[in-house]
Amino acid sequence: MRIALMKRFYSFRVVQNFLQALCLTVLFAVSSAYAQVDKPIASVTGDTFDFGSVRQGEKVTHDFVIENKGNAPLQIQHIEPSCGCTVAEVTANEIPPGGNATVKVTFDTKGFWGGKEKTVRVYTSDQANTSVLLTLKGDIRRDISVHPGRVSFGT
């Protein structure tokens, strides 16, 4: 009787070990398949451009490069400038894996003076990083500067 119980226990252990090994194999296969899923990865080196000091009324332009470091095409879904004084154009709406596209940002300084910062948000199909913020910043000099800036002559 004791030997029969030991044989059953041993058989149960063999089946248990086999099922554990099978579950681990399936889990590893599923996690490996998930890791292999194709996905785009948006990357920008130098997301801020300091244009220094310019005269009021000049247009400041800079080309930002967006790279796709993923293994699936990256879609540029839309571009949103922070105001009407800033315009952005992209060279391609779809970036292949390993490729890049240029976003040309132009800021019209007419009507502005002093330190300014203008942004453009680029929305992409990268699920981990759905948007990229590009920034132009610098100082705008007036042609004529009056001190104090305001004068009151009364009523």
Side-chain angles (χ1 to χ4, degrees), residues 116-151:
K116 292 295 172 201
E117 185 172 290
K118 296 297 175 181
T119 60
V120 172
R121 188 165 296 276
V122 180
Y123 293 90
T124 71
S125 61
D126 180 352
Q127 294 300 313
N129 186 19
T130 57
S131 71
V132 176
L133 188 65
L134 309 175
T135 306
L136 290 174
K137 68 178 186 174
D139 187 57
I140 303 164
R141 299 182 321 273
R142 289 180 171 183
D143 285 337
I144 299 173
S145 182
V146 178
H147 295 284
R150 293 182 184 198
V151 177

Side-chain angles (χ1 to χ4, degrees), residues 25 27 32 42 73-74 77 80 99 105 117 120 130-131 142 150 153:
T25 302
L27 188 62
S32 294
L74 176 71
Q77 295 167 336
E80 192 174 286
V105 179
E117 185 172 290
V120 172
T130 57
S131 71
R142 289 180 171 183
R150 293 182 184 198
F153 296 105

Side-chain angles (χ1 to χ4, degrees), residues 7-20:
K7 283 183 181 180
R8 279 191 180 170
F9 178 75
Y10 179 72
S11 295
F12 174 75
R13 284 298 237 176
V14 168
V15 170
Q16 183 183 17
N17 288 342
F18 172 76
L19 289 175
Q20 284 177 342

Side-chain angles (χ1 to χ4, degrees), residues 53-72:
S53 182
V54 298
R55 291 178 58 180
Q56 185 180 40
E58 288 185 32
K59 290 186 179 181
V60 177
T61 300
H62 182 70
D63 292 337
F64 293 93
V65 178
I66 297 179
E67 296 178 74
N68 181 3
K69 294 190 175 184
N71 53 7

Side-chain angles (χ1 to χ4, degrees), residues 33-62:
Y34 180 74
Q36 299 295 327
V37 171
D38 291 342
K39 53 187 165 187
I41 300 172
S43 175
V44 177
T45 304
D47 58 358
T48 300
F49 175 68
D50 187 341
F51 57 83
S53 182
V54 298
R55 291 178 58 180
Q56 185 180 40
E58 288 185 32
K59 290 186 179 181
V60 177
T61 300
H62 182 70

Side-chain angles (χ1 to χ4, degrees), residues 86-116:
T86 309
V87 177
E89 300 171 348
V90 66
T91 57
N93 288 324
E94 183 174 302
I95 306 170
N100 62 51
T102 301
V103 178
K104 182 179 184 175
V105 179
T106 303
F107 166 44
D108 186 355
T109 64
K110 183 179 178 181
F112 293 96
W113 66 87
K116 292 295 172 201

